[in-house]
Amino acid sequence: MFGLSRRTLVGYLYVAPLLVWLALTIAYPLLSTVILSLQDIRIIGTEGSFVGVDQYRTILTSDAFWSSTGRSVIWVLGNGLAQTLAAFIAALLLREAFPGVRIARVWIILSWIVPTVVVVIIWRWMLSASGGIVNYALVSFGVVERPIGFFSTGTSAFASVILINAWRMFPFMTVIMLAGLMRIPEELYESAAVDGANAWQKFRHITLPGLQPVLFVIGLLGTLMSFNTFDVIWLLTGGGPAGSTTTLPVLIYDTAFKQYRLSRAAAMSVVTGILLLVFALTFIRLMSPRTEEQESAL
Amino acid sequence: MKRSRRASFVLIVGLAALLFVVLVPFYWIFTSSIKIPQEIIARTPTLIPQSFSLQHYDKLMNSSQFPVYLRNSTMVALATMGVTLLLCTPAAYALYRMRLPGRRTLFRIILITYAFPGILLLIPLYSMMSSLRLIDTLYALVIVNVTFAAPFAVWLLQAFFQTIPPEIEESAALDGANRLQILLHIIIPLTAPGLASVAIFAFITSWTEYMFSSVLIISEQYRTVPVGLAGIVGQYQVDWGLLLAGASVTTLPVLVLFALVGRYFISGLTAGAVKS
Amino acid sequence: MNIHFRIVLLVMAAILAVGMLPALAQEPVQITLWHMEQPPHRVERIQLLIDEFNAANPDVVVRQEPQNWGEIYTKAPAAVAAGNAPELLFAIPDFTPILKDLGQLQDVTDFVAALDAKHDFVDTAVEPYAYDNGTWAVPLYNMAHSIWYRPSVFAAAGIEPPTTWDELLAAAEALTTDTQYGIGLPANRQLYTDQVVYDFMVNAGAEEIYNPDGTLRFDNEATVKAYEFYSQLFRFSPPDSTNWTWGEAEACFASRACAMIPQFTVITTYDTQAEGDPNDLGVIAIPRSAEVEESGTIAYSNGVMLLTSDPAKIEAAQRFISFILEPENYGRFLNMEPGLFLPVTDTGSQADSFWQDPMVVKYRAQVETMIENSKNGRLFGFTNGNTFPSIASISAQNILAQVLQMIVVEGMSAEDAVKAGQAAMEAAIE
């Protein structure tokens, strides 16, 4: 039938339920978001008329949209840096053999498996300026004179949220990074040592290239997941103070549900989606690892 | 290879720092949750609790709806686990064992779905659930959670499927087994760790989901833990004890789950990372 | 494969069908009540009253669904749109217009008139809900801000409770020591901040943000003065108060880290988490600037909205509301949070059920002062007999708070910030 073997047909049948599911729960909503973005609906459930690309024009010329985009970029870069660095160091440590290492390799992921609400509660409690333990330690050790309001200025709030998110996410990256590190054969390092290579040379010529497939995964997934982070920021700062932690997802939520401009938020979502799509496709094309084995997966 | 003293020292310091960063916050909220209110908000924090009281847990379990939230979250998470496995296992199998044409494109499409912010889907999914009369039901949450877990689940599974040598399947086929039988009796048992890791991933994704749960669920009786916890705390008074007890209890089920089957998830993640 | 697929579909259909059964059965009239009083003890008290009502009215079943202020502005319109709206929804005056725009809100003028004849509503409680030829909610309780402090702390610093802005500033400065902040003021983009900002606007003579014709007059000298004073006072507030909601302020007061806070009430927190000594809990009216003659404060007349047009449900809901306002029940209702909710009816303000609650007995002096202060209460958008429903879009976005943030976080001048605030408000109501 259709010139395809029975085997292939059965294969498609196996994939079909998943595809149908995703079509209904993602493709269809995406389509309706696009339609929504071409109207002027404000409160959900009210009537609206078609206004073509008006919403797009408004947002693409608005300061708020572009500053949020900028913040999202900084957010992604900040998180990427913090998480990759922390993951790398943690992976290096966990690669060693020591008593209890196997337990450590499993439980490192603790902060990733708890709900965001719990993460937020923990850190708001610990960073509070009246009774929080972090400030108490800082003041006791004489690092600062008075408690710091971690969320009271734009810069410190942004940095705090990035670090809290990194704390939550880096273990996930650590596991992946560790997997990559452990794949690099010990012999490579040994023969390099015999040739007189120092630590930096080993890192640059053995570790980095060996990690390339893993860094690819972390880079792609990590960026996408990071960009779309909403609940951590929303629950910690609500996008403030004074809008300084309002990244794109936060702006979209705020526009839809606090400013009651549903269509405008839909337009923002579409633009964001396109930006990310372009990023993802470019990233895959440029950074895709080249070996045979990896090709088969991607 | 023996470690030099200096290297050992660096290792110990590094590990201590890692341990500190990861574990101390949890130690802090757990020990604080058993203190009396006055000690919790005292300006001088006490590292070792000076008092002991289970009043917060008592209030949490008996005076609030928290047990209901726990029940709902558990049901939704288990259902999400089941449906995700049902959908993704055959799909990943077909894509990777059967080398379907177009699988690369299909795989990319599946992964690209992660490019879209969850928030993008919030409004249209809400309207959809609304027309299907699924607002305020746990089914709606299961549907949403599966959608978010499925793409990554497929990715996790494909790595495991690739570890099975084709010869096993070929000899089974020679013995007269059809595709379904091969899947059920050979592949699945061999990739049990992979399935376990997908199950855990789905469970955790579901357990921690906040955004959709807060909008799709209206009644107390269907609320899930993250939303319920945020609400119990109340914005009018911060009852820190209650809050910390809630945070501790919320963490517990995933801790237990992880203690039992956590290593499968880690090995799954590890395999997935390596294979792609 | 085929048959497996069909079986799965069948099972799913069966599950869905069973799930829908309850909706099809015949039942007593169901009334769902949404409110934003989520703390467990408040939920318990409401449930108590609901159970009594249900027992006395077997043909009606009332259910409560506590909601969250952070989510309700989203959820309520969405629920109305999806056909899942509750029959009864608690409201504050600037939340009501949003619901009214969606066309589901019932006009309760006659019902309120009948209740008025029986219980005598405080007029200022009904006014914020009466506009556009209708009354859109039934007032249920009042809340007003006061300044809370500890007399012992004042005595130790040698200061008297302040009544003017100069005195307030001096007091805050005198009370700020190494271990204590003189006053706790929020600067979060949130309702609590809006409220405290408005406390100062009222006391600067800037309580009107609308002109009689509905245009905005937010940008005026008095408003600028109010914000300038706030930012001066803010220097004596804890550094993380930029992130505060009501809860953090109360915690600060309870732990003695803050010497004063503006707040509806601290009684419950003070009693359960602090020393709970009624003789050392002071409450005064918000101090006034030199521009006004008497202190004022923000006051919210909280009400309940009727969102159903089904006659049977309307009748049942009205029965329930009347039940709540009966003096023997009303006091218990108000005391779900003792000292927070104040009566809006004359019969209520004299009800034993109100004054005999143990907590109210313990803190009687404070509650009496709170009621006194509330008589000078105002609400932005609903002042001096004028009501401007467009305020809803402004408070949904917490623009009053945003303007404050421009000043204390971004360092803008008060004039520029207020100007920007006016522009933001105009954009919001356009």
Side-chain angles (χ1 to χ4, degrees), chain B residues 92-99 161-162 164-166 169 179 187:
Chain B
Y93 177 69
L95 287 176
Y96 299 103
R97 295 309 291 175
M98 296 167 61
R99 309 194 78 91
F161 284 133
Q162 289 187 349
I164 304 172
E169 281 185 78
R179 277 287 163 185
I187 304 290

Side-chain angles (χ1 to χ4, degrees), chain B residues 21-39:
Chain B
V21 165
V22 173
L23 290 182
V24 159
F26 292 101
Y27 169 81
W28 184 236
I29 56 156
F30 179 66
T31 54
S32 300
S33 71
I34 51 175
K35 295 176 184 168
I36 57 175
Q38 286 77 3
E39 191 189 345

Side-chain angles (χ1 to χ4, degrees), chain B residues 236-238, chain C residues 247 250-251 254 265-274 337:
Chain B
Y236 305 120
Q237 289 128 11
V238 176
Chain C
E250 285 188 47
T265 181
V266 301
I267 291 179
T268 314
T269 320
Y270 179 75
D271 200 63
T272 54
Q273 296 185 31
E337 193 66 69

Side-chain angles (χ1 to χ4, degrees), chain C residues 77-244:
Chain C
V80 170
N84 288 313
E87 283 76 24
L88 290 172
L89 174 56
F90 276 20
I92 48 177
D94 48 350
F95 183 44
T96 307
I98 296 180
L99 272 303
K100 180 162 173 300
D101 278 344
L102 296 173
Q104 271 280 64
L105 205 48
Q106 299 299 311
D107 181 3
V108 289
T109 312
D110 293 337
F111 182 48
V112 168
L115 289 169
D116 195 15
K118 193 165 183 209
H119 300 293
D120 193 8
F121 277 119
V122 173
D123 289 336
T124 50
V126 181
E127 275 163 19
Y129 295 109
Y131 48 92
D132 279 0
N133 299 319
T135 308
W136 306 103
V138 181
L140 273 189
Y141 48 96
N142 208 357
M143 294 161 52
H145 270 190
S146 310
I147 297 265
W148 297 86
Y149 66 99
R150 287 179 173 83
S152 62
V153 171
F154 273 27
I159 50 182
E160 291 289 313
T163 55
T164 68
W165 279 13
D166 290 334
E167 288 168 10
L168 180 59
L169 196 57
E173 184 157 10
L175 289 164
T176 302
T177 68
D178 272 347
T179 52
Q180 184 176 268
Y181 295 97
I183 184 166
L185 293 175
N188 197 351
R189 187 190 147 187
Q190 200 256 357
L191 189 54
Y192 179 41
T193 311
D194 287 342
Q195 293 167 349
V196 180
V197 165
Y198 194 65
D199 284 335
F200 289 103
M201 282 171 67
V202 165
N203 284 298
E207 77 263 20
E208 278 285 13
I209 66 173
Y210 282 94
N211 289 313
D213 62 359
T215 55
L216 286 164
R217 62 177 293 276
F218 176 67
D219 186 0
N220 62 64
E221 262 186 53
T223 311
V224 173
K225 281 216 174 66
Y227 274 101
E228 270 172 359
F229 183 65
Y230 198 115
S231 68
Q232 284 174 29
L233 211 48
F234 192 69
R235 292 174 293 145
F236 305 112
S237 185
D240 63 349
S241 62
T242 320
N243 227 20
W244 276 9

Side-chain angles (χ1 to χ4, degrees), chain B residues 43 130 139 214 218 220 236, chain C residues 15 34 65 69 75 82 179:
Chain B
R43 236 116 29 98
S130 178
Y139 303 122
S214 72
I218 298 174
E220 275 290 273
Y236 305 120
Chain C
I15 294 176
W34 283 15
E65 295 298 343
W69 268 119
K75 265 184 160 166
T179 52

